[in-house]
Amino acid sequence: MAETAESMSESGGSRGRWGLLAGLVLFGLTLLLVQARQEPPAARGADARATEFSAARAVAVLRTLVGDGSPHPVGSPANDRVRERILAELRRLGYSPEVQEGTWCSHGGLCARLHNVVARLDGASPGKAVLLMAHYDSVPAGPGVGDDLSGVATILEVARALRSGPAPKNPVMFLLDEGEEPGLLGAELFAARHPAAGDVGVVVNLEARGTSGPSLMFETSGDDAWMIDRYASAASHPATSSIYATIYDLLPNDTDLTVFKRSQRNGLNFAFVQHPNYYHTSRDTVDSLSIASLQHHGDNALAAARALAEADLAAPPKGDAVFFDVLSLGVVRWPKGWTPALAILALVLVAVASMRILRRQAAVIPRRGLLFGLLGFWGTVVVALLLSVGVSLLLRGAMPYTWVDRPQAELAAFWLLGLAAALLVAGSVARRAGAAGRWMAVWIGWAILGVAVALTAPGISYLFVVPALAAGLLGLLLDPEGLPASLVPGLVAALLWMPILSPLYDGLGAPALVAIGLLVAVLATALAPLVPASGALGRRWLPLAALAGTVVFAGLAFASAPFSERTPQPLPIQFEQDADSGQARWMIFGGRPLPQAVREAGSFPRERQQAYPWGPPERRAFIAPAPHLEVPGPQVSVLEDSKSEGMRTLRLLLTSNRGAREAAVMVPTGAKLTSATVDGEPLQNLPGGRPGGYLQIGSSTMRPDGVEIVLLLGETGPQDFRVYDLSSGLPPSGEALLHARPASAVPFQSGDTTVLVRTVKL
């Protein structure tokens, strides 16, 4: 008498009861292998060959650039000193650098006076050039070593190495620009106005959003297939994926490469992103920087520059690629246009293998077994999503910021949660679906997802397409009920998924946890065919153990302090004073939970309030009264006020009588701003604004004599304009707050600031 699917599930068939446990062990070993291979290569010493990149030499240059470690925002005297050190180093290396000066305005309405450093290495023949690019300004809160003096030092060491070898075929240009932090200003100025900008054939940009980790090639611009080929053939330790590029396109983040990407210029972008808690803070120092990450950055930049410099930059091939590295040993890639066909092929192979199973075992596997298997696969996705969202909401108190100290407990909770969801659902349908039914259902589900993602986001699709291809081929060549046909496709999936899952939190922070739980569950479905044969171990005890682990690690997350000196809380403090009324207050944006010592030192209430009556309601802060400061407020003088054909022209002189570094006129949206210039520089894109709100027009590099602003308005009647100026640091009355701020909290982004605001009717 033929066996039923249920009896086969109980007996275990040829898979054996320990197949699932073996699969989980292999998954764990794969994760350890992936993490080991994601470590950047060892740093080379100062005695490395002249044609090689040496992190030791780059660090020596970096320490010179950093100087006393002061923040050096755009236009500051400290940034002037950094620029002079860059120029001196380029001259020492035998280059003849030039300084491009000009003004450019950000999309946010702030303009700046800029100084870009440009140098050139001639090629063996004239033509299009490779442009290596990094920015040398920092945010006001910190010295900007990782972001982005590490990139500057890398380029200077690459410039030395290139000059030490034979001349490349194509010229290589070096752009060390100013003003990236307030809005990519230096790159915009170069692309729009430098005479050599038209000679750029391909861009290599260096960035960072952390202080350690591998240098990832995370973004491409233009036609990338030929660039990926060049990079893959030259890089000794490649770390890249078209998934990074796809995700980055969806994020609101920008780098200098964005400027060239808008015009579809070809380019590659590299960055390291681990330990992002020091990003844009005073802790972003040389001592915090991983010298191994610097070595990897330099290896990538030098390899990419040399490889691209030998290409035909005048007429590079067209087309994009799907690509990914395999354990940093090499890069697999294919034309993006092939992806739908590969996805359909995978679906066909899995379908044919499934029909083969059904023909061979028609008496063993009822058609409903396949139906229950499919319900189990899609049920895993739904259950994992619901559980991940629920646990994420429960952990909000343990994760008050995007990144927290020692997030291992949170990460373990979501990895185990995803595993538990997959095993629970697989166990619940095991009796009805059977082992073969689960195999068919899982890989049909993967193949369907592969087709869907290939059509909508081909850069991500290989995660599903390649394992489904492996499953389909093995299902045709081997016994689908045998252990290899179940284990091997799962291991292929693990090798592809774990390099993405592992750094996901470093790149995206707390919002990535839900994705991690969901993705781990989908990955774990690759082991679902092994569940029916595992008996009570796989259907009951392993999922219960995973759930128990989730609860334990979630509890550990709540028991752990979210911040420490190693992982500080971003806590900038602002002194704001109305220059008309003289009323002053302390303001802390973010800062949840507000440290008790700070709360008491400033008498802050427990709840946040709307920051500015004229601002958006969602802009909230902890607000407390502050002592009045005897200091002059910003001033606006009307140089011209004329009306013509229903339009009004206002020519204003904006000055900061206290020498603030930034000042702006806040134009009410009711004034219907049509165009604006700052010191004769037109705003290319007017900043957006909500109804009843304000548009910011000003300068982040104020001069003592002020800046001239010309506004063309569609409303001719009088309006209430607001004016502010901003300087770094707090007045003396803020000493108590500074002392109360614990070592586990630091200024962030713009740092501690003093802002004076006044209202002017014009």
Side-chain angles (χ1 to χ4, degrees):
M1 184 175 67
E3 289 183 285
T4 64
E6 179 177 334
S7 64
M8 286 192 67
S9 297
E10 291 295 331
S11 65
S14 60
R15 285 180 172 80
R17 292 186 177 273
W18 303 105
L20 176 61
L21 197 58
L24 291 172
V25 170
L26 288 173
F27 267 37
L29 293 174
T30 301
L31 178 59
L32 293 176
L33 176 62
V34 164
Q35 290 179 332
R37 291 296 302 167
Q38 284 183 332
E39 289 295 315
R44 294 191 189 93
D47 57 350
R49 288 182 297 178
T51 54
E52 293 181 332
F53 184 94
S54 161
R57 290 191 289 252
V59 165
V61 172
L62 179 59
R63 291 188 184 279
T64 299
L65 298 180
V66 172
D68 63 1
S70 299
H72 47 99
V74 58
S76 65
N79 212 36
D80 294 342
R81 293 191 290 272
V82 171
R83 180 173 62 255
E84 290 304 319
R85 294 168 191 143
I86 293 171
L87 291 167
E89 180 64 16
L90 284 168
R91 293 181 185 120
R92 186 184 71 82
L93 296 174
Y95 289 90
S96 300
E98 60 166 300
V99 177
Q100 178 195 18
E101 296 187 40
T103 299
W104 200 263
C105 303
S106 72
H107 290 272
L110 285 179
C111 305
R113 186 69 181 169
L114 306 164
H115 302 79
N116 291 333
V117 176
V118 183
R120 179 186 178 95
L121 176 66
D122 289 331
S125 59
K128 294 289 186 180
V130 178
L131 177 68
L132 267 68
M133 179 170 58
H135 69 90
Y136 68 90
D137 61 307
S138 75
V139 294
V145 171
D147 180 27
D148 191 26
L149 285 183
S150 65
V152 175
T154 296
I155 287 179
L156 292 173
E157 169 65 4
V158 168
R160 184 209 57 75
L162 289 174
R163 198 171 180 84
S164 299
K169 173 186 172 183
N170 297 307
V172 179
M173 295 171 57
F174 309 97
L175 171 61
L176 307 171
D177 65 76
E178 184 180 25
E180 189 270 354
E181 296 295 358
L184 319 180
L185 306 184
E188 296 272 19
L189 178 67
F190 175 86
R193 294 186 184 160
H194 197 282
D199 296 336
V200 175
V202 62
V203 179
V204 176
N205 187 58
L206 301 183
E207 261 289 359
R209 200 182 180 185
T211 58
S212 63
S215 173
L216 304 173
M217 202 289 286
F218 71 97
E219 183 184 20
T220 65
S221 172
D223 296 295
D224 64 24
W226 71 275
M227 293 186 292
I228 299 302
D229 281 340
R230 291 276 173 171
Y231 165 67
S233 64
S236 59
H237 195 88
T240 188
S241 168
S242 51
I243 292 176
Y244 300 143
T246 303
I247 293 175
Y248 198 80
D249 284 343
L250 301 176
L251 297 176
N253 305 30
D254 290 316
T255 70
D256 279 337
L257 184 63
T258 305
V259 174
F260 297 89
K261 195 171 185 176
R262 293 191 197 115
S263 57
Q264 287 298 299
R265 298 275 195 101
N266 294 321
L268 302 177
N269 214 351
F270 295 87
F272 45 86
V273 300
Q274 285 185 11
H275 204 191
N277 302 78
Y278 287 169
Y279 174 71
H280 284 186
T281 76
S282 58
R283 308 285 174 86
D284 186 11
T285 64
V286 177
D287 292 337
S288 301
L289 182 68
S290 164
I291 191 170
S293 298
L294 190 64
Q295 180 67 52
H296 198 200
H297 224 27
D299 286 346
N300 278 333
L302 182 57
R306 282 183 169 144
L308 296 172
E310 299 304 316
D312 180 7
L313 299 182
K318 299 291 184 182
D320 294 325
V322 173
F323 54 92
F324 54 92
D325 75 90
V326 179
L327 297 175
S328 291
L329 298 172
V331 178
V332 177
R333 65 270 191 194
W334 62 76
K336 188 177 286 186
W338 291 9
T339 308
L342 289 173
I344 292 171
L345 175 62
L347 180 59
V348 170
L349 290 175
V350 171
V352 172
S354 298
M355 287 188 289
R356 176 173 170 245
I357 295 172
L358 289 172
R359 282 198 303 269
R360 288 174 55 192
Q361 303 184 15
V364 177
I365 306 171
R367 296 298 188 271
R368 67 177 185 176
L370 176 58
L371 175 62
F372 276 105
L374 288 171
L375 288 174
F377 177 80
W378 296 109
T380 298
V381 175
V382 174
V383 170
L385 179 61
L386 292 175
L387 287 175
S388 297
V389 170
V391 174
S392 176
L393 293 174
L394 289 173
L395 285 179
R396 288 182 68 180
M399 301 194 73
Y401 182 60
T402 309
W403 293 281
V404 296
D405 188 37
R406 305 187 187 282
Q408 290 84 354
E410 287 88 345
L411 291 170
F414 280 88
W415 276 76
L416 289 171
L417 181 67
L419 178 63
L423 293 179
L424 281 171
V425 175
S428 68
V429 300
R431 292 178 180 273
R432 291 184 173 89
R438 286 296 290 156
W439 187 96
M440 291 187 291
V442 164
W443 293 112
I444 288 173
W446 276 68
I448 290 172
L449 283 174
V451 172
V453 180
L455 296 174
T456 56
I460 299 175
S461 62
Y462 75 83
L463 290 179
F464 301 98
V465 172
V466 175
L469 280 170
L473 287 170
L474 288 170
L476 290 174
L477 298 175
L478 303 175
D479 177 10
E481 286 198 288
L483 200 60
S486 292
L487 274 182
V488 173
L491 286 178
V492 171
L495 279 171
L496 299 180
W497 284 59
M498 288 181 180
I500 304 302
L501 285 167
S502 189
L504 202 57
Y505 174 80
D506 288 321
L508 301 177
L513 293 176
V514 170
I516 289 172
L518 175 61
L519 294 175
V520 168
V522 176
L523 173 60
T525 62
L527 298 178
L530 299 169
V531 171
S534 64
L537 176 69
R539 293 204 301 268
R540 185 179 308 131
W541 299 116
L542 284 177
L544 287 177
L547 276 178
T550 299
V551 173
V552 169
F553 282 111
L556 289 175
F558 271 106
S560 303
F563 304 111
S564 69
E565 291 190 46
R566 180 183 179 276
T567 308
Q569 176 185 14
L571 195 74
I573 303 171
Q574 184 175 102
F575 172 87
E576 187 258 353
Q577 181 168 293
D578 188 312
D580 297 321
S581 67
Q583 194 170 33
R585 53 189 186 159
W586 303 114
M587 303 176 67
I588 297 178
F589 297 93
R592 293 181 297 169
L594 193 61
Q596 186 62 28
V598 175
R599 185 186 302 280
E600 293 174 356
S603 300
F604 287 97
R606 296 206 168 268
E607 299 299 325
R608 295 183 300 161
Q609 307 166 48
Q610 184 175 348
Y612 301 103
W614 61 87
E618 64 272 15
R619 180 70 165 155
R620 303 179 70 80
F622 294 101
I623 300 174
H628 173 75
L629 179 65
E630 287 296 336
V631 63
Q635 183 176 336
V636 170
S637 303
V638 179
L639 305 179
E640 177 189 346
D641 185 353
S642 60
K643 301 178 179 66
S644 176
E645 299 180 352
M647 303 295 289
R648 182 186 185 193
T649 300
L650 272 177
R651 188 161 63 93
L652 310 172
L653 180 65
L654 172 63
T655 55
S656 172
N657 295 321
R658 62 190 185 92
R661 61 177 170 84
E662 178 183 311
V665 174
M666 307 293 287
V667 183
T669 53
K672 300 178 182 177
L673 180 65
T674 302
S675 67
T677 64
V678 178
D679 276 345
E681 181 64 39
L683 271 68
Q684 304 295 323
N685 297 279
L686 293 177
R690 63 181 181 85
Y694 288 81
L695 309 176
Q696 172 182 254
I697 309 293
S699 173
S700 55
T701 53
M702 286 292 293
R703 299 191 313 273
D705 58 343
V707 297
E708 185 176 298
I709 297 175
V710 179
L711 308 173
L712 183 62
L713 308 174
E715 174 58 55
T716 60
Q719 299 279 334
D720 284 338
F721 290 70
R722 299 185 187 272
V723 185
Y724 79 84
D725 65 5
L726 178 149
S727 59
S728 295
L730 300 179
S733 57
E735 284 297 319
L737 284 175
L738 296 179
H739 286 303
R741 183 164 54 197
S744 59
V746 291
F748 175 70
Q749 205 82 8
S750 294
D752 298 329
T753 52
T754 294
V755 179
L756 271 74
V757 183
R758 74 176 345 136
T759 302
V760 180
K761 182 173 285 292
L762 298 173

